[in-house]
Amino acid sequence: MFNKLFRNIYLPIVIIAVILMLFIDIFSIIMLTDTMKTAYSANGQKKVTRALDSCRLYVSSAAASTYNLSLDGEIIRELASPTGKTLVDKLDSTCNYSLKINAVCVYSANGRVYTSSEVAQVPSFEELKKINEIKSFIEGNEGAAISLRNECVAEIYHNVAYPKEMGVITCCQKVYDGDKTVGWIFTDILPSNLYNTIVSGGQFENAVAFIEADGIFFEYGGNEGYAELLQGKARGYFRYSATADDGLFTVTVFDGTGDYAARAAVISSAMIAASLILLTGVHFVAKYIAKNVTGRLEKLSGKMNSQKLP
C-alpha cells in the first residue's frame, strides 16, 4: 500500500548520499593526486640538484688533481728540457690515486706527447686545436678549462674501441716553467662515471639520465634509444633538470611515473572502497527509515480499517 511512499523516502536518501560521495571522492582524489604529484616533483628536483652537485664535485676533484700534476717538478723539467722519459708511471699514479681520471695526456710545447698506459689513438695537438673551447684555452690567458665533447676522443682502456657518441670530459691545464708555457695536460673523465653518481647512490634508480653540453648529450647504456624524451616526448615520466652555475653542463633526468601512479591508485581504490562501504550503510539506514515510516502508517491504517463505524 505504501510502496510508493517507501520509494519516495528511500531513493532521495540514497541518491543524495551517492552524489555527496561522488563529489567528495572526485574532489579528494584530484586534490590527493595533485598533492602527491607536487611532492614527487619537488623531491625529484631536489635529487637532480644533488646529482648535479655530485657531478660538479667529481669534475672539480679531477680538475684539482690535474692542477697538482701541473706543479710536479719532474713533469715541468721534462717538458722544458726533454730527456726522453715516458712519464707513464707518474701519469698512471695520478689515474690510480684519483680514481676519477680515466686517462692523462700531456703535450709539450716542443711537440712531444706523453700518455698514461691505458690510452691510445690520442688526438694530435692540431686536432685538439680544432675544438673551439680548447683552441681558446690554448691561445688565451686562462690557465685551466673544461672541455665536454664527442669528437677528438682518445681510445681508453687498453685500446678498446670507445664510441665517440659517449663523449669525454677533459680537464685542461697549462704547465708553466716560470712565466713560460711549456706544455698542456689533458685529463679525461668518461661521462659514465658521472652517470653512476646520478642513477645510483641514493639519487635515481631505473631512471633515464642525460648530461648535456653545447647542444649535445653523452650516451651511455641507460639512455640509448631515449633521445626523443629530450624533444618533449616524455609521456609516463617526470622530467627534472638542473644546470651548473657556470652553464658548463645540464643534468636532465626522466623518472618513470609508475611508483606515483601505483601509490595514487592504491589510495584512490581505498577511498572508493570506503565510500562503497559507507553507501552500503546508507542503503540499510535509508531502508530502515523508509520501513519505519511506512510500517507505522500501515499499522495505523490497519487499526483504522479494523474499527467499525457505530
Side-chain angles (χ1 to χ4, degrees), residues 13-43:
I13 295 175
V14 173
I15 291 172
I16 291 172
V18 169
I19 293 173
L20 286 175
M21 289 298 178
L22 283 174
F23 174 78
I24 292 172
D25 281 352
I26 293 172
F27 179 78
S28 298
I29 290 172
I30 291 174
M31 291 296 295
L32 175 67
T33 54
D34 185 64
T35 301
M36 286 181 60
K37 187 174 182 179
T38 301
Y40 267 80
S41 296
N43 185 51

mmCIF file of all heavy atoms in Angstrom, residues 13-43:
data_model
loop_
_atom_site.group_PDB
_atom_site.id
_atom_site.type_symbol
_atom_site.label_atom_id
_atom_site.label_comp_id
_atom_site.label_asym_id
_atom_site.label_seq_id
_atom_site.Cartn_x
_atom_site.Cartn_y
_atom_site.Cartn_z
ATOM 1 N N ILE A 13 17.231 9.629 -0.125
ATOM 2 C CA ILE A 13 18.357 9.490 0.811
ATOM 3 C C ILE A 13 19.557 8.851 0.109
ATOM 4 O O ILE A 13 20.690 9.328 0.220
ATOM 5 C CB ILE A 13 17.939 8.641 2.030
ATOM 6 C CG1 ILE A 13 16.850 9.364 2.826
ATOM 7 C CG2 ILE A 13 19.148 8.357 2.923
ATOM 8 C CD1 ILE A 13 16.276 8.541 3.981
ATOM 9 N N VAL A 14 19.310 7.764 -0.637
ATOM 10 C CA VAL A 14 20.403 7.062 -1.321
ATOM 11 C C VAL A 14 21.014 7.932 -2.416
ATOM 12 O O VAL A 14 22.249 8.019 -2.548
ATOM 13 C CB VAL A 14 19.893 5.726 -1.916
ATOM 14 C CG1 VAL A 14 20.975 5.079 -2.780
ATOM 15 C CG2 VAL A 14 19.472 4.784 -0.799
ATOM 16 N N ILE A 15 20.160 8.608 -3.197
ATOM 17 C CA ILE A 15 20.665 9.446 -4.293
ATOM 18 C C ILE A 15 21.513 10.599 -3.756
ATOM 19 O O ILE A 15 22.600 10.890 -4.282
ATOM 20 C CB ILE A 15 19.499 9.984 -5.150
ATOM 21 C CG1 ILE A 15 18.857 8.835 -5.932
ATOM 22 C CG2 ILE A 15 19.983 11.064 -6.117
ATOM 23 C CD1 ILE A 15 17.581 9.214 -6.649
ATOM 24 N N ILE A 16 21.033 11.250 -2.707
ATOM 25 C CA ILE A 16 21.797 12.354 -2.106
ATOM 26 C C ILE A 16 23.136 11.837 -1.581
ATOM 27 O O ILE A 16 24.186 12.473 -1.764
ATOM 28 C CB ILE A 16 20.987 13.021 -0.980
ATOM 29 C CG1 ILE A 16 19.792 13.773 -1.578
ATOM 30 C CG2 ILE A 16 21.871 13.983 -0.172
ATOM 31 C CD1 ILE A 16 18.829 14.312 -0.544
ATOM 32 N N ALA A 17 23.110 10.658 -0.940
ATOM 33 C CA ALA A 17 24.348 10.079 -0.407
ATOM 34 C C ALA A 17 25.321 9.747 -1.538
ATOM 35 O O ALA A 17 26.527 10.000 -1.435
ATOM 36 C CB ALA A 17 24.033 8.829 0.412
ATOM 37 N N VAL A 18 24.809 9.177 -2.639
ATOM 38 C CA VAL A 18 25.665 8.827 -3.774
ATOM 39 C C VAL A 18 26.296 10.082 -4.374
ATOM 40 O O VAL A 18 27.505 10.114 -4.666
ATOM 41 C CB VAL A 18 24.862 8.064 -4.849
ATOM 42 C CG1 VAL A 18 25.668 7.948 -6.142
ATOM 43 C CG2 VAL A 18 24.476 6.693 -4.342
ATOM 44 N N ILE A 19 25.485 11.123 -4.557
ATOM 45 C CA ILE A 19 26.004 12.382 -5.131
ATOM 46 C C ILE A 19 27.079 12.977 -4.228
ATOM 47 O O ILE A 19 28.138 13.407 -4.700
ATOM 48 C CB ILE A 19 24.855 13.384 -5.350
ATOM 49 C CG1 ILE A 19 23.920 12.870 -6.450
ATOM 50 C CG2 ILE A 19 25.407 14.761 -5.705
ATOM 51 C CD1 ILE A 19 22.664 13.699 -6.631
ATOM 52 N N LEU A 20 26.816 12.985 -2.924
ATOM 53 C CA LEU A 20 27.799 13.534 -1.982
ATOM 54 C C LEU A 20 29.091 12.719 -1.996
ATOM 55 O O LEU A 20 30.192 13.280 -1.998
ATOM 56 C CB LEU A 20 27.206 13.568 -0.569
ATOM 57 C CG LEU A 20 26.160 14.650 -0.288
ATOM 58 C CD1 LEU A 20 25.571 14.477 1.102
ATOM 59 C CD2 LEU A 20 26.777 16.038 -0.432
ATOM 60 N N MET A 21 28.945 11.372 -1.998
ATOM 61 C CA MET A 21 30.130 10.518 -2.015
ATOM 62 C C MET A 21 30.944 10.713 -3.291
ATOM 63 O O MET A 21 32.179 10.773 -3.267
ATOM 64 C CB MET A 21 29.724 9.050 -1.871
ATOM 65 C CG MET A 21 29.215 8.680 -0.494
ATOM 66 S SD MET A 21 30.476 8.902 0.781
ATOM 67 C CE MET A 21 29.534 8.455 2.237
ATOM 68 N N LEU A 22 30.234 10.809 -4.445
ATOM 69 C CA LEU A 22 30.936 11.024 -5.709
ATOM 70 C C LEU A 22 31.692 12.344 -5.699
ATOM 71 O O LEU A 22 32.853 12.420 -6.122
ATOM 72 C CB LEU A 22 29.942 10.994 -6.881
ATOM 73 C CG LEU A 22 29.443 9.629 -7.327
ATOM 74 C CD1 LEU A 22 28.362 9.769 -8.381
ATOM 75 C CD2 LEU A 22 30.598 8.792 -7.869
ATOM 76 N N PHE A 23 31.021 13.381 -5.204
ATOM 77 C CA PHE A 23 31.663 14.700 -5.148
ATOM 78 C C PHE A 23 32.889 14.664 -4.241
ATOM 79 O O PHE A 23 33.971 15.144 -4.607
ATOM 80 C CB PHE A 23 30.669 15.739 -4.638
ATOM 81 C CG PHE A 23 31.287 17.089 -4.413
ATOM 82 C CD1 PHE A 23 31.556 17.947 -5.473
ATOM 83 C CD2 PHE A 23 31.623 17.507 -3.123
ATOM 84 C CE1 PHE A 23 32.147 19.188 -5.255
ATOM 85 C CE2 PHE A 23 32.212 18.748 -2.904
ATOM 86 C CZ PHE A 23 32.466 19.587 -3.984
ATOM 87 N N ILE A 24 32.711 14.068 -3.060
ATOM 88 C CA ILE A 24 33.820 14.002 -2.100
ATOM 89 C C ILE A 24 34.967 13.173 -2.665
ATOM 90 O O ILE A 24 36.136 13.558 -2.578
ATOM 91 C CB ILE A 24 33.333 13.418 -0.757
ATOM 92 C CG1 ILE A 24 32.369 14.394 -0.076
ATOM 93 C CG2 ILE A 24 34.524 13.127 0.167
ATOM 94 C CD1 ILE A 24 31.684 13.829 1.150
ATOM 95 N N ASP A 25 34.642 12.018 -3.279
ATOM 96 C CA ASP A 25 35.695 11.143 -3.822
ATOM 97 C C ASP A 25 36.445 11.819 -4.967
ATOM 98 O O ASP A 25 37.680 11.806 -5.008
ATOM 99 C CB ASP A 25 35.097 9.826 -4.298
ATOM 100 C CG ASP A 25 34.819 8.874 -3.148
ATOM 101 O OD1 ASP A 25 35.227 9.189 -2.018
ATOM 102 O OD2 ASP A 25 34.193 7.827 -3.373
ATOM 103 N N ILE A 26 35.679 12.379 -5.902
ATOM 104 C CA ILE A 26 36.328 13.018 -7.063
ATOM 105 C C ILE A 26 37.204 14.181 -6.614
ATOM 106 O O ILE A 26 38.359 14.307 -7.039
ATOM 107 C CB ILE A 26 35.270 13.491 -8.082
ATOM 108 C CG1 ILE A 26 34.578 12.283 -8.712
ATOM 109 C CG2 ILE A 26 35.913 14.361 -9.163
ATOM 110 C CD1 ILE A 26 33.391 12.637 -9.586
ATOM 111 N N PHE A 27 36.667 15.024 -5.748
ATOM 112 C CA PHE A 27 37.422 16.178 -5.254
ATOM 113 C C PHE A 27 38.663 15.718 -4.487
ATOM 114 O O PHE A 27 39.772 16.237 -4.696
ATOM 115 C CB PHE A 27 36.526 17.033 -4.355
ATOM 116 C CG PHE A 27 37.226 18.233 -3.771
ATOM 117 C CD1 PHE A 27 37.445 19.363 -4.536
ATOM 118 C CD2 PHE A 27 37.672 18.214 -2.448
ATOM 119 C CE1 PHE A 27 38.097 20.472 -3.995
ATOM 120 C CE2 PHE A 27 38.331 19.304 -1.915
ATOM 121 C CZ PHE A 27 38.536 20.443 -2.679
ATOM 122 N N SER A 28 38.476 14.723 -3.618
ATOM 123 C CA SER A 28 39.587 14.241 -2.792
ATOM 124 C C SER A 28 40.670 13.582 -3.646
ATOM 125 O O SER A 28 41.860 13.795 -3.425
ATOM 126 C CB SER A 28 39.077 13.250 -1.740
ATOM 127 O OG SER A 28 38.156 13.870 -0.873
ATOM 128 N N ILE A 29 40.248 12.772 -4.624
ATOM 129 C CA ILE A 29 41.229 12.085 -5.475
ATOM 130 C C ILE A 29 42.018 13.079 -6.309
ATOM 131 O O ILE A 29 43.240 12.970 -6.450
ATOM 132 C CB ILE A 29 40.523 11.044 -6.376
ATOM 133 C CG1 ILE A 29 40.017 9.871 -5.518
ATOM 134 C CG2 ILE A 29 41.460 10.550 -7.471
ATOM 135 C CD1 ILE A 29 39.153 8.882 -6.273
ATOM 136 N N ILE A 30 41.314 14.088 -6.853
ATOM 137 C CA ILE A 30 42.017 15.117 -7.640
ATOM 138 C C ILE A 30 43.013 15.868 -6.772
ATOM 139 O O ILE A 30 44.176 16.069 -7.148
ATOM 140 C CB ILE A 30 41.001 16.092 -8.282
ATOM 141 C CG1 ILE A 30 40.203 15.382 -9.378
ATOM 142 C CG2 ILE A 30 41.728 17.307 -8.863
ATOM 143 C CD1 ILE A 30 39.088 16.218 -9.961
ATOM 144 N N MET A 31 42.574 16.281 -5.584
ATOM 145 C CA MET A 31 43.458 17.021 -4.679
ATOM 146 C C MET A 31 44.625 16.151 -4.218
ATOM 147 O O MET A 31 45.773 16.604 -4.154
ATOM 148 C CB MET A 31 42.665 17.521 -3.467
ATOM 149 C CG MET A 31 41.659 18.614 -3.801
ATOM 150 S SD MET A 31 42.470 20.125 -4.385
ATOM 151 C CE MET A 31 43.358 20.616 -2.907
ATOM 152 N N LEU A 32 44.311 14.896 -3.903
ATOM 153 C CA LEU A 32 45.340 13.989 -3.407
ATOM 154 C C LEU A 32 46.401 13.715 -4.475
ATOM 155 O O LEU A 32 47.606 13.808 -4.208
ATOM 156 C CB LEU A 32 44.703 12.678 -2.962
ATOM 157 C CG LEU A 32 45.686 11.579 -2.536
ATOM 158 C CD1 LEU A 32 46.410 11.992 -1.262
ATOM 159 C CD2 LEU A 32 44.951 10.258 -2.326
ATOM 160 N N THR A 33 45.951 13.357 -5.688
ATOM 161 C CA THR A 33 46.911 13.058 -6.754
ATOM 162 C C THR A 33 47.736 14.285 -7.122
ATOM 163 O O THR A 33 48.927 14.174 -7.416
ATOM 164 C CB THR A 33 46.187 12.518 -7.996
ATOM 165 O OG1 THR A 33 45.147 13.433 -8.390
ATOM 166 C CG2 THR A 33 45.570 11.162 -7.709
ATOM 167 N N ASP A 34 47.088 15.466 -7.094
ATOM 168 C CA ASP A 34 47.828 16.695 -7.402
ATOM 169 C C ASP A 34 48.873 16.972 -6.328
ATOM 170 O O ASP A 34 50.008 17.358 -6.628
ATOM 171 C CB ASP A 34 46.859 17.876 -7.521
ATOM 172 C CG ASP A 34 47.561 19.140 -7.966
ATOM 173 O OD1 ASP A 34 48.074 19.179 -9.087
ATOM 174 O OD2 ASP A 34 47.614 20.104 -7.166
ATOM 175 N N THR A 35 48.484 16.759 -5.062
ATOM 176 C CA THR A 35 49.435 16.958 -3.957
ATOM 177 C C THR A 35 50.584 15.969 -4.045
ATOM 178 O O THR A 35 51.755 16.323 -3.859
ATOM 179 C CB THR A 35 48.709 16.806 -2.607
ATOM 180 O OG1 THR A 35 47.657 17.770 -2.519
ATOM 181 C CG2 THR A 35 49.674 17.015 -1.448
ATOM 182 N N MET A 36 50.257 14.704 -4.348
ATOM 183 C CA MET A 36 51.299 13.688 -4.490
ATOM 184 C C MET A 36 52.235 14.023 -5.650
ATOM 185 O O MET A 36 53.450 13.878 -5.549
ATOM 186 C CB MET A 36 50.672 12.312 -4.708
ATOM 187 C CG MET A 36 50.056 11.698 -3.475
ATOM 188 S SD MET A 36 49.364 10.056 -3.832
ATOM 189 C CE MET A 36 50.829 9.173 -4.377
ATOM 190 N N LYS A 37 51.648 14.485 -6.764
ATOM 191 C CA LYS A 37 52.464 14.830 -7.931
ATOM 192 C C LYS A 37 53.409 15.973 -7.613
ATOM 193 O O LYS A 37 54.587 15.964 -7.996
ATOM 194 C CB LYS A 37 51.556 15.206 -9.099
ATOM 195 C CG LYS A 37 52.295 15.409 -10.408
ATOM 196 C CD LYS A 37 51.322 15.642 -11.543
ATOM 197 C CE LYS A 37 52.066 15.791 -12.871
ATOM 198 N NZ LYS A 37 51.112 15.992 -14.002
ATOM 199 N N THR A 38 52.896 16.976 -6.880
ATOM 200 C CA THR A 38 53.735 18.101 -6.475
ATOM 201 C C THR A 38 54.865 17.633 -5.566
ATOM 202 O O THR A 38 56.017 18.064 -5.706
ATOM 203 C CB THR A 38 52.888 19.169 -5.748
ATOM 204 O OG1 THR A 38 51.861 19.622 -6.635
ATOM 205 C CG2 THR A 38 53.744 20.342 -5.319
ATOM 206 N N ALA A 39 54.533 16.725 -4.637
ATOM 207 C CA ALA A 39 55.553 16.206 -3.719
ATOM 208 C C ALA A 39 56.611 15.404 -4.469
ATOM 209 O O ALA A 39 57.806 15.546 -4.211
ATOM 210 C CB ALA A 39 54.890 15.344 -2.646
ATOM 211 N N TYR A 40 56.173 14.555 -5.408
ATOM 212 C CA TYR A 40 57.118 13.784 -6.208
ATOM 213 C C TYR A 40 58.017 14.717 -7.018
ATOM 214 O O TYR A 40 59.229 14.496 -7.111
ATOM 215 C CB TYR A 40 56.369 12.840 -7.150
ATOM 216 C CG TYR A 40 56.152 11.450 -6.597
ATOM 217 C CD1 TYR A 40 55.133 11.193 -5.693
ATOM 218 C CD2 TYR A 40 56.962 10.394 -6.973
ATOM 219 C CE1 TYR A 40 54.914 9.922 -5.183
ATOM 220 C CE2 TYR A 40 56.763 9.111 -6.472
ATOM 221 C CZ TYR A 40 55.736 8.882 -5.575
ATOM 222 O OH TYR A 40 55.545 7.626 -5.075
ATOM 223 N N SER A 41 57.422 15.750 -7.617
ATOM 224 C CA SER A 41 58.193 16.679 -8.435
ATOM 225 C C SER A 41 59.212 17.436 -7.592
ATOM 226 O O SER A 41 60.369 17.603 -8.007
ATOM 227 C CB SER A 41 57.252 17.669 -9.137
ATOM 228 O OG SER A 41 56.389 16.998 -10.037
ATOM 229 N N ALA A 42 58.786 17.897 -6.425
ATOM 230 C CA ALA A 42 59.702 18.635 -5.549
ATOM 231 C C ALA A 42 60.848 17.746 -5.090
ATOM 232 O O ALA A 42 62.015 18.162 -5.083
ATOM 233 C CB ALA A 42 58.938 19.187 -4.346
ATOM 234 N N ASN A 43 60.527 16.509 -4.728
ATOM 235 C CA ASN A 43 61.568 15.583 -4.283
ATOM 236 C C ASN A 43 62.519 15.244 -5.434
ATOM 237 O O ASN A 43 63.739 15.180 -5.249
ATOM 238 C CB ASN A 43 60.924 14.305 -3.748
ATOM 239 C CG ASN A 43 61.936 13.350 -3.151
ATOM 240 O OD1 ASN A 43 62.752 13.731 -2.320
ATOM 241 N ND2 ASN A 43 61.888 12.100 -3.577
#
